[in-house]
Amino acid sequence: MPLQFPSSATVVAALPRALSLSAAAVAAATTTLLLISAVVSRSHHIASSSPPLLPPSASASTTSTQAPAPAPDAEHHHHSPPPPPVPPCPPNATNLVPCHESPSGDRHCPPRPTPPLPHPPKDHPPHPPVPPPPHCRVPPPPGYRPPPPWPVRRERARYANVELPLLPPGKVSEGQDPVRGRGEWLVFAQGKGVRHYVEQLERVVPLRGGVVRTALDIGCGVASFGDYLLNYDVLTMSFAPKNIYGAQVQLALERGLPAMIGGFGAQRLPHPSRSFDMVHCADCLVSWTAHDGLYMLEIDRLVQPGGYWIFSRPPVSWKSAYNISNQAIKDQDNQLAMDDVANKLNWTKLSEMGTTSVWRKPTCHLHCEQESKLLGSLPLCREDPDSAWYANISLCRSCLPRAEPVDACAAGAMEKWPKRLDSVPPRITSGEIKWLSVQAYEHDTLLWEKRVSFYVTYLKYLSNGTYRNTVDMSAGLGGFAAAMSKYPVWVMNVVPANITNNTLGVIYERGLIGTYTDWCEAFSTYPRTYDLIHANGIFSSYIHKCGIIDILVEMDRILRPGGAAIVRDRADVVLKVKKDADRLRWQSQIVDTENGPLDPDKLLIVDNSLPLPGS
């Protein structure tokens, strides 16, 4: 619904004539903003009334109208023609996942050429311009249809929407109900196997009552574990590599469950220290004792103080009776090695239930350095424990930060969920993040409540479960996700690496989840896995690192057909984004923010659920 703006003549005529010089400058700026709004509104009407330019073949998202280039005449013949629409990728690129083809499990993206300086020194000849990378739109597979609304999609997914072959049998426990095929659907059920498994864990781990809120499930299978934990209000990030076992992450996201592609290699997982209240591995095919227990050190970095590490793979309780074999002896050796690393990390073993072991991380690391020397523990890490974007895992122990008073633990205790969402995170109250005050945090929370309330006027399907998987491309303090928590969505809070302040630890302490990324590269997910994208200030932040079209093409890859997006940025930047969004044939319009036409920021509302004009 385009907004109505006054004509520029009316605005100018209404300005007071007896303004001071400073007031006149403000009036001039106001007039400019209104003129921009009027031009944007008029150009949108013209584009909408033009006949649609049909794409050459199926594309990744529902398309929008691209206005045809004006006919050449005496006035316009010297203007360069507008860029052409972005073409579709080849059909075999349906499940394209850049940066995750390495067999090591680590991310690896080919380096992007650095753009030449706009004004090279006079004594050096300018370099020839670097040709831009080819862009194309990832096409959906034949027979693709958007998933059903939440919570129906939790129970079933379409065969046509996911990459087959299917997964191996579920890994949560023996006896878990398998995935069943029923016509065009894959049907999932919360069977007796996963229910019995979680009920066993509940005897040791406080899953109820809000103590455990964020969890990481490594090697997630069909995400049955994370799905069942929703009954406890536990938000689980399912985590698996792109490998021969099938599209586990794609299947989880198709069901509306949080997940991302990744694996254990040389690099840290893209999360800050003290992220998860619980980390879980059920036969996840990770060699935990390899490289002197390197991966267990990474688990120690990720787990909250007092958090839980759950390992399940038969036979874990090697002390119980079972047939002696070479495999049993090997498993016994592995278990002894795991116990040895856990002791060096000062973990407490709470339980050994048949095939499952549960450890708890200490709540305090008092006088870490002294303990390390006296007890022969692992050396302390010197690098920033929250630095996790292309950072290698080190053979060292991440010490919990000191707090005031000196005998305090970590950065302070967190509230239980759901109070945790609205409470000030300990990283702020303790002064660990020195540049962020409590007042600034509380102001940010109120600001995003106001903004999301305004967004709802354009997101007409937000309350009925159509938009479930949401990504906030520059999450800040998590205010957008917190304001969205009243709707049936979950939000992947992304903190751009090396662009903005590292606030991801604050987001996790609010009981939310997220990751680091570089939006000049591909995001760690399959195509068509997000229903809603929010981009606040992304394009102005990256304007000197990569092109607007580079980021938009990646957004188009991960946005499902019929999905929506909101771009929030400076008015001049939004105008540029709109031009490139038209090349992707998105249904979009530029509108004012909640602050009205005088706000220097504008919104680009993308609603690809709208039908094409004339269709």
mmCIF file with all atom_site columns, all heavy atoms in Angstrom, residues 58-61 87-90 93-98 136-141 527-528 553 556-559 561:
data_model
loop_
_atom_site.group_PDB
_atom_site.id
_atom_site.type_symbol
_atom_site.label_atom_id
_atom_site.label_alt_id
_atom_site.label_comp_id
_atom_site.label_asym_id
_atom_site.label_entity_id
_atom_site.label_seq_id
_atom_site.pdbx_PDB_ins_code
_atom_site.Cartn_x
_atom_site.Cartn_y
_atom_site.Cartn_z
_atom_site.occupancy
_atom_site.B_iso_or_equiv
_atom_site.pdbx_formal_charge
_atom_site.auth_seq_id
_atom_site.auth_comp_id
_atom_site.auth_asym_id
_atom_site.auth_atom_id
_atom_site.pdbx_PDB_model_num
ATOM 1   N N   . ALA A 1 58  ? 12.382 -20.459 -14.159 1.00 0.00 ? 58  ALA A N   1
ATOM 2   C CA  . ALA A 1 58  ? 12.045 -20.385 -12.738 1.00 0.00 ? 58  ALA A CA  1
ATOM 3   C C   . ALA A 1 58  ? 13.206 -19.811 -11.953 1.00 0.00 ? 58  ALA A C   1
ATOM 4   O O   . ALA A 1 58  ? 14.354 -20.046 -12.260 1.00 0.00 ? 58  ALA A O   1
ATOM 5   C CB  . ALA A 1 58  ? 11.715 -21.785 -12.219 1.00 0.00 ? 58  ALA A CB  1
ATOM 6   N N   . SER A 1 59  ? 12.867 -19.033 -10.920 1.00 0.00 ? 59  SER A N   1
ATOM 7   C CA  . SER A 1 59  ? 13.900 -18.383 -10.119 1.00 0.00 ? 59  SER A CA  1
ATOM 8   C C   . SER A 1 59  ? 13.663 -18.680 -8.657  1.00 0.00 ? 59  SER A C   1
ATOM 9   O O   . SER A 1 59  ? 12.692 -19.314 -8.288  1.00 0.00 ? 59  SER A O   1
ATOM 10  C CB  . SER A 1 59  ? 13.900 -16.874 -10.376 1.00 0.00 ? 59  SER A CB  1
ATOM 11  O OG  . SER A 1 59  ? 12.622 -16.347 -10.162 1.00 0.00 ? 59  SER A OG  1
ATOM 12  N N   . ALA A 1 60  ? 14.563 -18.164 -7.803  1.00 0.00 ? 60  ALA A N   1
ATOM 13  C CA  . ALA A 1 60  ? 14.567 -18.578 -6.402  1.00 0.00 ? 60  ALA A CA  1
ATOM 14  C C   . ALA A 1 60  ? 13.443 -17.958 -5.598  1.00 0.00 ? 60  ALA A C   1
ATOM 15  O O   . ALA A 1 60  ? 13.065 -18.489 -4.575  1.00 0.00 ? 60  ALA A O   1
ATOM 16  C CB  . ALA A 1 60  ? 15.901 -18.241 -5.762  1.00 0.00 ? 60  ALA A CB  1
ATOM 17  N N   . SER A 1 61  ? 12.921 -16.822 -5.971  1.00 0.00 ? 61  SER A N   1
ATOM 18  C CA  . SER A 1 61  ? 11.898 -16.160 -5.177  1.00 0.00 ? 61  SER A CA  1
ATOM 19  C C   . SER A 1 61  ? 10.792 -15.671 -6.086  1.00 0.00 ? 61  SER A C   1
ATOM 20  O O   . SER A 1 61  ? 10.979 -15.486 -7.284  1.00 0.00 ? 61  SER A O   1
ATOM 21  C CB  . SER A 1 61  ? 12.490 -14.974 -4.412  1.00 0.00 ? 61  SER A CB  1
ATOM 22  O OG  . SER A 1 61  ? 13.530 -15.399 -3.566  1.00 0.00 ? 61  SER A OG  1
ATOM 23  N N   . PRO A 1 87  ? 20.091 -13.256 -14.168 1.00 0.00 ? 87  PRO A N   1
ATOM 24  C CA  . PRO A 1 87  ? 19.561 -14.488 -14.778 1.00 0.00 ? 87  PRO A CA  1
ATOM 25  C C   . PRO A 1 87  ? 19.528 -15.632 -13.768 1.00 0.00 ? 87  PRO A C   1
ATOM 26  O O   . PRO A 1 87  ? 20.177 -15.584 -12.720 1.00 0.00 ? 87  PRO A O   1
ATOM 27  C CB  . PRO A 1 87  ? 20.574 -14.776 -15.886 1.00 0.00 ? 87  PRO A CB  1
ATOM 28  C CG  . PRO A 1 87  ? 21.859 -14.210 -15.358 1.00 0.00 ? 87  PRO A CG  1
ATOM 29  C CD  . PRO A 1 87  ? 21.472 -12.975 -14.578 1.00 0.00 ? 87  PRO A CD  1
ATOM 30  N N   . PRO A 1 88  ? 18.789 -16.689 -14.076 1.00 0.00 ? 88  PRO A N   1
ATOM 31  C CA  . PRO A 1 88  ? 18.782 -17.872 -13.199 1.00 0.00 ? 88  PRO A CA  1
ATOM 32  C C   . PRO A 1 88  ? 20.084 -18.649 -13.330 1.00 0.00 ? 88  PRO A C   1
ATOM 33  O O   . PRO A 1 88  ? 20.745 -18.646 -14.373 1.00 0.00 ? 88  PRO A O   1
ATOM 34  C CB  . PRO A 1 88  ? 17.591 -18.687 -13.702 1.00 0.00 ? 88  PRO A CB  1
ATOM 35  C CG  . PRO A 1 88  ? 17.428 -18.276 -15.127 1.00 0.00 ? 88  PRO A CG  1
ATOM 36  C CD  . PRO A 1 88  ? 17.837 -16.830 -15.195 1.00 0.00 ? 88  PRO A CD  1
ATOM 37  N N   . CYS A 1 89  ? 20.469 -19.322 -12.248 1.00 0.00 ? 89  CYS A N   1
ATOM 38  C CA  . CYS A 1 89  ? 21.613 -20.233 -12.272 1.00 0.00 ? 89  CYS A CA  1
ATOM 39  C C   . CYS A 1 89  ? 21.232 -21.502 -13.038 1.00 0.00 ? 89  CYS A C   1
ATOM 40  O O   . CYS A 1 89  ? 20.053 -21.763 -13.277 1.00 0.00 ? 89  CYS A O   1
ATOM 41  C CB  . CYS A 1 89  ? 22.036 -20.602 -10.856 1.00 0.00 ? 89  CYS A CB  1
ATOM 42  S SG  . CYS A 1 89  ? 22.487 -19.209 -9.804  1.00 0.00 ? 89  CYS A SG  1
ATOM 43  N N   . PRO A 1 90  ? 22.214 -22.320 -13.390 1.00 0.00 ? 90  PRO A N   1
ATOM 44  C CA  . PRO A 1 90  ? 21.894 -23.595 -14.030 1.00 0.00 ? 90  PRO A CA  1
ATOM 45  C C   . PRO A 1 90  ? 21.033 -24.471 -13.124 1.00 0.00 ? 90  PRO A C   1
ATOM 46  O O   . PRO A 1 90  ? 21.069 -24.347 -11.894 1.00 0.00 ? 90  PRO A O   1
ATOM 47  C CB  . PRO A 1 90  ? 23.277 -24.230 -14.257 1.00 0.00 ? 90  PRO A CB  1
ATOM 48  C CG  . PRO A 1 90  ? 24.236 -23.096 -14.237 1.00 0.00 ? 90  PRO A CG  1
ATOM 49  C CD  . PRO A 1 90  ? 23.658 -22.079 -13.306 1.00 0.00 ? 90  PRO A CD  1
ATOM 50  N N   . ALA A 1 93  ? 22.240 -26.118 -9.861  1.00 0.00 ? 93  ALA A N   1
ATOM 51  C CA  . ALA A 1 93  ? 22.613 -25.281 -8.724  1.00 0.00 ? 93  ALA A CA  1
ATOM 52  C C   . ALA A 1 93  ? 21.470 -25.129 -7.730  1.00 0.00 ? 93  ALA A C   1
ATOM 53  O O   . ALA A 1 93  ? 21.500 -24.255 -6.872  1.00 0.00 ? 93  ALA A O   1
ATOM 54  C CB  . ALA A 1 93  ? 23.058 -23.900 -9.218  1.00 0.00 ? 93  ALA A CB  1
ATOM 55  N N   . THR A 1 94  ? 20.463 -25.980 -7.823  1.00 0.00 ? 94  THR A N   1
ATOM 56  C CA  . THR A 1 94  ? 19.271 -25.859 -6.979  1.00 0.00 ? 94  THR A CA  1
ATOM 57  C C   . THR A 1 94  ? 19.604 -25.834 -5.493  1.00 0.00 ? 94  THR A C   1
ATOM 58  O O   . THR A 1 94  ? 18.985 -25.104 -4.723  1.00 0.00 ? 94  THR A O   1
ATOM 59  C CB  . THR A 1 94  ? 18.312 -27.030 -7.285  1.00 0.00 ? 94  THR A CB  1
ATOM 60  O OG1 . THR A 1 94  ? 17.804 -26.866 -8.599  1.00 0.00 ? 94  THR A OG1 1
ATOM 61  C CG2 . THR A 1 94  ? 17.148 -27.052 -6.318  1.00 0.00 ? 94  THR A CG2 1
ATOM 62  N N   . ASN A 1 95  ? 20.587 -26.621 -5.071  1.00 0.00 ? 95  ASN A N   1
ATOM 63  C CA  . ASN A 1 95  ? 20.962 -26.688 -3.657  1.00 0.00 ? 95  ASN A CA  1
ATOM 64  C C   . ASN A 1 95  ? 22.370 -26.150 -3.434  1.00 0.00 ? 95  ASN A C   1
ATOM 65  O O   . ASN A 1 95  ? 23.125 -26.667 -2.603  1.00 0.00 ? 95  ASN A O   1
ATOM 66  C CB  . ASN A 1 95  ? 20.844 -28.127 -3.152  1.00 0.00 ? 95  ASN A CB  1
ATOM 67  C CG  . ASN A 1 95  ? 19.402 -28.591 -3.103  1.00 0.00 ? 95  ASN A CG  1
ATOM 68  O OD1 . ASN A 1 95  ? 18.592 -28.061 -2.343  1.00 0.00 ? 95  ASN A OD1 1
ATOM 69  N ND2 . ASN A 1 95  ? 19.060 -29.570 -3.926  1.00 0.00 ? 95  ASN A ND2 1
ATOM 70  N N   . LEU A 1 96  ? 22.713 -25.084 -4.158  1.00 0.00 ? 96  LEU A N   1
ATOM 71  C CA  . LEU A 1 96  ? 24.043 -24.491 -4.075  1.00 0.00 ? 96  LEU A CA  1
ATOM 72  C C   . LEU A 1 96  ? 24.320 -23.959 -2.671  1.00 0.00 ? 96  LEU A C   1
ATOM 73  O O   . LEU A 1 96  ? 23.549 -23.177 -2.125  1.00 0.00 ? 96  LEU A O   1
ATOM 74  C CB  . LEU A 1 96  ? 24.160 -23.356 -5.091  1.00 0.00 ? 96  LEU A CB  1
ATOM 75  C CG  . LEU A 1 96  ? 25.474 -22.573 -5.116  1.00 0.00 ? 96  LEU A CG  1
ATOM 76  C CD1 . LEU A 1 96  ? 26.612 -23.468 -5.592  1.00 0.00 ? 96  LEU A CD1 1
ATOM 77  C CD2 . LEU A 1 96  ? 25.341 -21.349 -6.012  1.00 0.00 ? 96  LEU A CD2 1
ATOM 78  N N   . VAL A 1 97  ? 25.448 -24.393 -2.086  1.00 0.00 ? 97  VAL A N   1
ATOM 79  C CA  . VAL A 1 97  ? 25.887 -23.918 -0.769  1.00 0.00 ? 97  VAL A CA  1
ATOM 80  C C   . VAL A 1 97  ? 27.358 -23.527 -0.892  1.00 0.00 ? 97  VAL A C   1
ATOM 81  O O   . VAL A 1 97  ? 28.239 -24.337 -0.636  1.00 0.00 ? 97  VAL A O   1
ATOM 82  C CB  . VAL A 1 97  ? 25.700 -24.986 0.321   1.00 0.00 ? 97  VAL A CB  1
ATOM 83  C CG1 . VAL A 1 97  ? 26.106 -24.432 1.687   1.00 0.00 ? 97  VAL A CG1 1
ATOM 84  C CG2 . VAL A 1 97  ? 24.264 -25.476 0.358   1.00 0.00 ? 97  VAL A CG2 1
ATOM 85  N N   . PRO A 1 98  ? 27.651 -22.298 -1.298  1.00 0.00 ? 98  PRO A N   1
ATOM 86  C CA  . PRO A 1 98  ? 29.051 -21.888 -1.408  1.00 0.00 ? 98  PRO A CA  1
ATOM 87  C C   . PRO A 1 98  ? 29.749 -21.921 -0.045  1.00 0.00 ? 98  PRO A C   1
ATOM 88  O O   . PRO A 1 98  ? 29.107 -21.864 0.996   1.00 0.00 ? 98  PRO A O   1
ATOM 89  C CB  . PRO A 1 98  ? 28.950 -20.450 -1.936  1.00 0.00 ? 98  PRO A CB  1
ATOM 90  C CG  . PRO A 1 98  ? 27.578 -20.323 -2.502  1.00 0.00 ? 98  PRO A CG  1
ATOM 91  C CD  . PRO A 1 98  ? 26.725 -21.231 -1.689  1.00 0.00 ? 98  PRO A CD  1
ATOM 92  N N   . CYS A 1 136 ? 23.807 -14.934 -10.348 1.00 0.00 ? 136 CYS A N   1
ATOM 93  C CA  . CYS A 1 136 ? 22.641 -15.666 -10.863 1.00 0.00 ? 136 CYS A CA  1
ATOM 94  C C   . CYS A 1 136 ? 21.758 -16.033 -9.685  1.00 0.00 ? 136 CYS A C   1
ATOM 95  O O   . CYS A 1 136 ? 22.199 -16.064 -8.532  1.00 0.00 ? 136 CYS A O   1
ATOM 96  C CB  . CYS A 1 136 ? 23.053 -16.914 -11.652 1.00 0.00 ? 136 CYS A CB  1
ATOM 97  S SG  . CYS A 1 136 ? 23.956 -18.164 -10.687 1.00 0.00 ? 136 CYS A SG  1
ATOM 98  N N   . ARG A 1 137 ? 20.504 -16.286 -9.984  1.00 0.00 ? 137 ARG A N   1
ATOM 99  C CA  . ARG A 1 137 ? 19.499 -16.611 -8.964  1.00 0.00 ? 137 ARG A CA  1
ATOM 100 C C   . ARG A 1 137 ? 19.336 -18.122 -8.883  1.00 0.00 ? 137 ARG A C   1
ATOM 101 O O   . ARG A 1 137 ? 19.065 -18.788 -9.884  1.00 0.00 ? 137 ARG A O   1
ATOM 102 C CB  . ARG A 1 137 ? 18.168 -15.960 -9.290  1.00 0.00 ? 137 ARG A CB  1
ATOM 103 C CG  . ARG A 1 137 ? 18.234 -14.440 -9.437  1.00 0.00 ? 137 ARG A CG  1
ATOM 104 C CD  . ARG A 1 137 ? 16.854 -13.861 -9.622  1.00 0.00 ? 137 ARG A CD  1
ATOM 105 N NE  . ARG A 1 137 ? 16.061 -14.031 -8.414  1.00 0.00 ? 137 ARG A NE  1
ATOM 106 C CZ  . ARG A 1 137 ? 14.746 -13.886 -8.378  1.00 0.00 ? 137 ARG A CZ  1
ATOM 107 N NH1 . ARG A 1 137 ? 14.079 -13.627 -9.484  1.00 0.00 ? 137 ARG A NH1 1
ATOM 108 N NH2 . ARG A 1 137 ? 14.083 -14.020 -7.238  1.00 0.00 ? 137 ARG A NH2 1
ATOM 109 N N   . VAL A 1 138 ? 19.520 -18.657 -7.684  1.00 0.00 ? 138 VAL A N   1
ATOM 110 C CA  . VAL A 1 138 ? 19.407 -20.107 -7.485  1.00 0.00 ? 138 VAL A CA  1
ATOM 111 C C   . VAL A 1 138 ? 17.961 -20.532 -7.722  1.00 0.00 ? 138 VAL A C   1
ATOM 112 O O   . VAL A 1 138 ? 17.048 -20.037 -7.048  1.00 0.00 ? 138 VAL A O   1
ATOM 113 C CB  . VAL A 1 138 ? 19.871 -20.495 -6.075  1.00 0.00 ? 138 VAL A CB  1
ATOM 114 C CG1 . VAL A 1 138 ? 19.644 -21.974 -5.831  1.00 0.00 ? 138 VAL A CG1 1
ATOM 115 C CG2 . VAL A 1 138 ? 21.340 -20.135 -5.879  1.00 0.00 ? 138 VAL A CG2 1
ATOM 116 N N   . PRO A 1 139 ? 17.726 -21.435 -8.653  1.00 0.00 ? 139 PRO A N   1
ATOM 117 C CA  . PRO A 1 139 ? 16.335 -21.830 -8.947  1.00 0.00 ? 139 PRO A CA  1
ATOM 118 C C   . PRO A 1 139 ? 15.823 -22.849 -7.939  1.00 0.00 ? 139 PRO A C   1
ATOM 119 O O   . PRO A 1 139 ? 16.595 -23.635 -7.380  1.00 0.00 ? 139 PRO A O   1
ATOM 120 C CB  . PRO A 1 139 ? 16.442 -22.455 -10.343 1.00 0.00 ? 139 PRO A CB  1
ATOM 121 C CG  . PRO A 1 139 ? 17.831 -23.027 -10.378 1.00 0.00 ? 139 PRO A CG  1
ATOM 122 C CD  . PRO A 1 139 ? 18.697 -22.097 -9.560  1.00 0.00 ? 139 PRO A CD  1
ATOM 123 N N   . PRO A 1 140 ? 14.525 -22.853 -7.689  1.00 0.00 ? 140 PRO A N   1
ATOM 124 C CA  . PRO A 1 140 ? 13.950 -23.896 -6.821  1.00 0.00 ? 140 PRO A CA  1
ATOM 125 C C   . PRO A 1 140 ? 13.889 -25.221 -7.565  1.00 0.00 ? 140 PRO A C   1
ATOM 126 O O   . PRO A 1 140 ? 13.905 -25.253 -8.802  1.00 0.00 ? 140 PRO A O   1
ATOM 127 C CB  . PRO A 1 140 ? 12.555 -23.367 -6.513  1.00 0.00 ? 140 PRO A CB  1
ATOM 128 C CG  . PRO A 1 140 ? 12.210 -22.534 -7.710  1.00 0.00 ? 140 PRO A CG  1
ATOM 129 C CD  . PRO A 1 140 ? 13.497 -21.914 -8.182  1.00 0.00 ? 140 PRO A CD  1
ATOM 130 N N   . PRO A 1 141 ? 13.826 -26.332 -6.845  1.00 0.00 ? 141 PRO A N   1
ATOM 131 C CA  . PRO A 1 141 ? 13.706 -27.631 -7.528  1.00 0.00 ? 141 PRO A CA  1
ATOM 132 C C   . PRO A 1 141 ? 12.324 -27.787 -8.148  1.00 0.00 ? 141 PRO A C   1
ATOM 133 O O   . PRO A 1 141 ? 11.368 -27.116 -7.744  1.00 0.00 ? 141 PRO A O   1
ATOM 134 C CB  . PRO A 1 141 ? 13.928 -28.631 -6.388  1.00 0.00 ? 141 PRO A CB  1
ATOM 135 C CG  . PRO A 1 141 ? 13.507 -27.898 -5.158  1.00 0.00 ? 141 PRO A CG  1
ATOM 136 C CD  . PRO A 1 141 ? 13.871 -26.453 -5.385  1.00 0.00 ? 141 PRO A CD  1
ATOM 137 N N   . PRO A 1 527 ? 19.841 -23.000 0.263   1.00 0.00 ? 527 PRO A N   1
ATOM 138 C CA  . PRO A 1 527 ? 18.905 -22.060 -0.370  1.00 0.00 ? 527 PRO A CA  1
ATOM 139 C C   . PRO A 1 527 ? 17.483 -22.254 0.168   1.00 0.00 ? 527 PRO A C   1
ATOM 140 O O   . PRO A 1 527 ? 17.105 -23.332 0.624   1.00 0.00 ? 527 PRO A O   1
ATOM 141 C CB  . PRO A 1 527 ? 18.978 -22.432 -1.859  1.00 0.00 ? 527 PRO A CB  1
ATOM 142 C CG  . PRO A 1 527 ? 20.278 -23.149 -2.031  1.00 0.00 ? 527 PRO A CG  1
ATOM 143 C CD  . PRO A 1 527 ? 20.503 -23.864 -0.731  1.00 0.00 ? 527 PRO A CD  1
ATOM 144 N N   . ARG A 1 528 ? 16.724 -21.141 0.138   1.00 0.00 ? 528 ARG A N   1
ATOM 145 C CA  . ARG A 1 528 ? 15.285 -21.159 0.432   1.00 0.00 ? 528 ARG A CA  1
ATOM 146 C C   . ARG A 1 528 ? 14.982 -21.582 1.872   1.00 0.00 ? 528 ARG A C   1
ATOM 147 O O   . ARG A 1 528 ? 13.963 -22.223 2.128   1.00 0.00 ? 528 ARG A O   1
ATOM 148 C CB  . ARG A 1 528 ? 14.538 -22.093 -0.544  1.00 0.00 ? 528 ARG A CB  1
ATOM 149 C CG  . ARG A 1 528 ? 14.727 -21.769 -1.999  1.00 0.00 ? 528 ARG A CG  1
ATOM 150 C CD  . ARG A 1 528 ? 14.168 -22.849 -2.910  1.00 0.00 ? 528 ARG A CD  1
ATOM 151 N NE  . ARG A 1 528 ? 14.815 -24.142 -2.684  1.00 0.00 ? 528 ARG A NE  1
ATOM 152 C CZ  . ARG A 1 528 ? 15.963 -24.507 -3.210  1.00 0.00 ? 528 ARG A CZ  1
ATOM 153 N NH1 . ARG A 1 528 ? 16.620 -23.684 -4.007  1.00 0.00 ? 528 ARG A NH1 1
ATOM 154 N NH2 . ARG A 1 528 ? 16.473 -25.700 -2.944  1.00 0.00 ? 528 ARG A NH2 1
ATOM 155 N N   . VAL A 1 553 ? 21.969 -10.756 -3.930  1.00 0.00 ? 553 VAL A N   1
ATOM 156 C CA  . VAL A 1 553 ? 21.915 -12.088 -4.540  1.00 0.00 ? 553 VAL A CA  1
ATOM 157 C C   . VAL A 1 553 ? 22.000 -13.174 -3.466  1.00 0.00 ? 553 VAL A C   1
ATOM 158 O O   . VAL A 1 553 ? 21.329 -14.208 -3.557  1.00 0.00 ? 553 VAL A O   1
ATOM 159 C CB  . VAL A 1 553 ? 23.033 -12.245 -5.592  1.00 0.00 ? 553 VAL A CB  1
ATOM 160 C CG1 . VAL A 1 553 ? 23.214 -13.697 -6.001  1.00 0.00 ? 553 VAL A CG1 1
ATOM 161 C CG2 . VAL A 1 553 ? 22.722 -11.401 -6.822  1.00 0.00 ? 553 VAL A CG2 1
ATOM 162 N N   . ASP A 1 556 ? 18.713 -13.328 -1.785  1.00 0.00 ? 556 ASP A N   1
ATOM 163 C CA  . ASP A 1 556 ? 17.780 -14.014 -2.672  1.00 0.00 ? 556 ASP A CA  1
ATOM 164 C C   . ASP A 1 556 ? 17.984 -15.528 -2.607  1.00 0.00 ? 556 ASP A C   1
ATOM 165 O O   . ASP A 1 556 ? 17.023 -16.292 -2.712  1.00 0.00 ? 556 ASP A O   1
ATOM 166 C CB  . ASP A 1 556 ? 17.975 -13.510 -4.103  1.00 0.00 ? 556 ASP A CB  1
ATOM 167 C CG  . ASP A 1 556 ? 16.935 -14.041 -5.059  1.00 0.00 ? 556 ASP A CG  1
ATOM 168 O OD1 . ASP A 1 556 ? 15.767 -13.647 -4.942  1.00 0.00 ? 556 ASP A OD1 1
ATOM 169 O OD2 . ASP A 1 556 ? 17.288 -14.862 -5.937  1.00 0.00 ? 556 ASP A OD2 1
ATOM 170 N N   . ARG A 1 557 ? 19.222 -15.974 -2.418  1.00 0.00 ? 557 ARG A N   1
ATOM 171 C CA  . ARG A 1 557 ? 19.508 -17.411 -2.330  1.00 0.00 ? 557 ARG A CA  1
ATOM 172 C C   . ARG A 1 557 ? 18.865 -18.021 -1.097  1.00 0.00 ? 557 ARG A C   1
ATOM 173 O O   . ARG A 1 557 ? 18.295 -19.120 -1.164  1.00 0.00 ? 557 ARG A O   1
ATOM 174 C CB  . ARG A 1 557 ? 21.025 -17.647 -2.306  1.00 0.00 ? 557 ARG A CB  1
ATOM 175 C CG  . ARG A 1 557 ? 21.427 -19.129 -2.311  1.00 0.00 ? 557 ARG A CG  1
ATOM 176 C CD  . ARG A 1 557 ? 22.930 -19.304 -2.194  1.00 0.00 ? 557 ARG A CD  1
ATOM 177 N NE  . ARG A 1 557 ? 23.409 -19.031 -0.842  1.00 0.00 ? 557 ARG A NE  1
ATOM 178 C CZ  . ARG A 1 557 ? 23.475 -19.936 0.137   1.00 0.00 ? 557 ARG A CZ  1
ATOM 179 N NH1 . ARG A 1 557 ? 23.084 -21.178 -0.083  1.00 0.00 ? 557 ARG A NH1 1
ATOM 180 N NH2 . ARG A 1 557 ? 23.934 -19.605 1.330   1.00 0.00 ? 557 ARG A NH2 1
ATOM 181 N N   . ILE A 1 558 ? 18.936 -17.335 0.040   1.00 0.00 ? 558 ILE A N   1
ATOM 182 C CA  . ILE A 1 558 ? 18.461 -17.943 1.284   1.00 0.00 ? 558 ILE A CA  1
ATOM 183 C C   . ILE A 1 558 ? 16.986 -17.647 1.562   1.00 0.00 ? 558 ILE A C   1
ATOM 184 O O   . ILE A 1 558 ? 16.389 -18.280 2.433   1.00 0.00 ? 558 ILE A O   1
ATOM 185 C CB  . ILE A 1 558 ? 19.328 -17.500 2.480   1.00 0.00 ? 558 ILE A CB  1
ATOM 186 C CG1 . ILE A 1 558 ? 19.119 -16.027 2.813   1.00 0.00 ? 558 ILE A CG1 1
ATOM 187 C CG2 . ILE A 1 558 ? 20.792 -17.796 2.216   1.00 0.00 ? 558 ILE A CG2 1
ATOM 188 C CD1 . ILE A 1 558 ? 19.896 -15.566 4.044   1.00 0.00 ? 558 ILE A CD1 1
ATOM 189 N N   . LEU A 1 559 ? 16.390 -16.709 0.831   1.00 0.00 ? 559 LEU A N   1
ATOM 190 C CA  . LEU A 1 559 ? 14.978 -16.379 1.031   1.00 0.00 ? 559 LEU A CA  1
ATOM 191 C C   . LEU A 1 559 ? 14.102 -17.322 0.219   1.00 0.00 ? 559 LEU A C   1
ATOM 192 O O   . LEU A 1 559 ? 14.323 -17.521 -0.979  1.00 0.00 ? 559 LEU A O   1
ATOM 193 C CB  . LEU A 1 559 ? 14.711 -14.935 0.609   1.00 0.00 ? 559 LEU A CB  1
ATOM 194 C CG  . LEU A 1 559 ? 13.316 -14.379 0.853   1.00 0.00 ? 559 LEU A CG  1
ATOM 195 C CD1 . LEU A 1 559 ? 13.011 -14.304 2.349   1.00 0.00 ? 559 LEU A CD1 1
ATOM 196 C CD2 . LEU A 1 559 ? 13.158 -13.008 0.206   1.00 0.00 ? 559 LEU A CD2 1
ATOM 197 N N   . PRO A 1 561 ? 10.848 -18.759 -1.847  1.00 0.00 ? 561 PRO A N   1
ATOM 198 C CA  . PRO A 1 561 ? 9.828  -18.151 -2.691  1.00 0.00 ? 561 PRO A CA  1
ATOM 199 C C   . PRO A 1 561 ? 8.596  -17.765 -1.878  1.00 0.00 ? 561 PRO A C   1
ATOM 200 O O   . PRO A 1 561 ? 8.109  -18.533 -1.049  1.00 0.00 ? 561 PRO A O   1
ATOM 201 C CB  . PRO A 1 561 ? 9.499  -19.271 -3.697  1.00 0.00 ? 561 PRO A CB  1
ATOM 202 C CG  . PRO A 1 561 ? 10.737 -20.099 -3.755  1.00 0.00 ? 561 PRO A CG  1
ATOM 203 C CD  . PRO A 1 561 ? 11.307 -20.064 -2.367  1.00 0.00 ? 561 PRO A CD  1
#
